Amino acid sequence: MSLHRRLFSAGILATVIFTANISVSLAETKESYLTLNSDGSQSFASLVQQAEDLAKESIAREFQENPALTEVTIIITADRSRQRVPVLRSRVSRHGWQKDGRIEQWTRYFADAQLLLGFRDGNISAANSGSSQVMNVPAPSRSTARQNDAGFRDD
């Protein structure tokens, strides 16, 4: 009886593992990297808006073109004066996108991009680009960043 019980347990375990592998293989994700070229007259706020629009279009297109896709990640970099810097990353599941297609809630913005791309103003107003929206991107504090580092010592 012990042998039958062991064989039965082994059969159930094999079935569970096989089923888990099938369900994992059915979930399909895609990660895309896109680059925007920024000219010298463009503000950082308009660059971010352009990146959001591109991410939104790309996510919608990916889900429409591939019905098996369950999650999409889009990373937008900006190229300005031969400097390439990530501006935002959007990661969303198909279910989440169908529920709410607002890009902002699925997006992580890289605040350091403003400085690394050479935008000088700390508070960029989109008024320069024709919009009334103001975008404040906080500049990281170097001392705070050091203090949050696990290897930081203040002797």
Side-chain angles (χ1 to χ4, degrees), residues 39-54:
D39 60 6
S41 65
Q42 186 178 34
S43 72
F44 185 70
S46 65
L47 177 69
V48 170
Q49 182 62 52
Q50 187 179 1
E52 286 177 339
D53 293 344
L54 180 59

Side-chain angles (χ1 to χ4, degrees), residues 44 108-116 119 121-123 136-148:
F44 185 70
R108 175 177 179 230
Y109 298 90
F110 298 102
D112 290 341
Q114 181 177 6
L115 178 66
L116 293 172
F119 290 97
D121 224 350
N123 294 328
N136 294 318
V137 179
S141 166
R142 196 175 285 279
S143 63
T144 304
R146 279 191 210 126
Q147 290 172 357
N148 291 336

Side-chain angles (χ1 to χ4, degrees), residues 19-60:
T19 306
N21 285 338
I22 288 175
S23 65
V24 168
S25 67
L26 293 177
E28 186 176 335
T29 63
K30 183 169 184 182
E31 187 170 288
S32 298
Y33 297 86
L34 305 171
T35 301
L36 290 173
N37 290 319
S38 173
D39 60 6
S41 65
Q42 186 178 34
S43 72
F44 185 70
S46 65
L47 177 69
V48 170
Q49 182 62 52
Q50 187 179 1
E52 286 177 339
D53 293 344
L54 180 59
K56 191 172 185 172
E57 291 169 12
S58 299
I59 290 168

Side-chain angles (χ1 to χ4, degrees), residues 16-134:
V16 168
I17 290 172
F18 180 71
T19 306
N21 285 338
I22 288 175
S23 65
V24 168
S25 67
L26 293 177
E28 186 176 335
T29 63
K30 183 169 184 182
E31 187 170 288
S32 298
Y33 297 86
L34 305 171
T35 301
L36 290 173
N37 290 319
S38 173
D39 60 6
S41 65
Q42 186 178 34
S43 72
F44 185 70
S46 65
L47 177 69
V48 170
Q49 182 62 52
Q50 187 179 1
E52 286 177 339
D53 293 344
L54 180 59
K56 191 172 185 172
E57 291 169 12
S58 299
I59 290 168
R61 183 178 62 251
E62 292 294 345
F63 282 137
Q64 185 178 18
E65 290 177 357
N66 190 348
L69 208 56
T70 57
E71 185 178 270
V72 173
T73 300
I74 303 287
I75 298 168
I76 309 281
T77 60
D79 187 338
R80 184 172 187 218
S81 304
R82 292 183 291 174
Q83 187 83 339
R84 255 191 204 174
V85 177
V87 175
L88 62 84
R89 184 197 77 204
S90 295
R91 175 183 278 162
V92 62
S93 68
R94 179 181 294 274
H95 176 71
W97 187 253
Q98 289 171 343
K99 189 175 179 182
D100 190 355
R102 290 178 295 150
I103 194 72
E104 299 84 18
Q105 70 179 357
W106 310 112
T107 300
R108 175 177 179 230
Y109 298 90
F110 298 102
D112 290 341
Q114 181 177 6
L115 178 66
L116 293 172
L117 288 170
F119 290 97
R120 301 281 180 231
D121 224 350
N123 294 328
I124 298 292
S125 171
N128 299 341
S129 64
S131 173
S132 62
Q133 181 184 30
V134 175

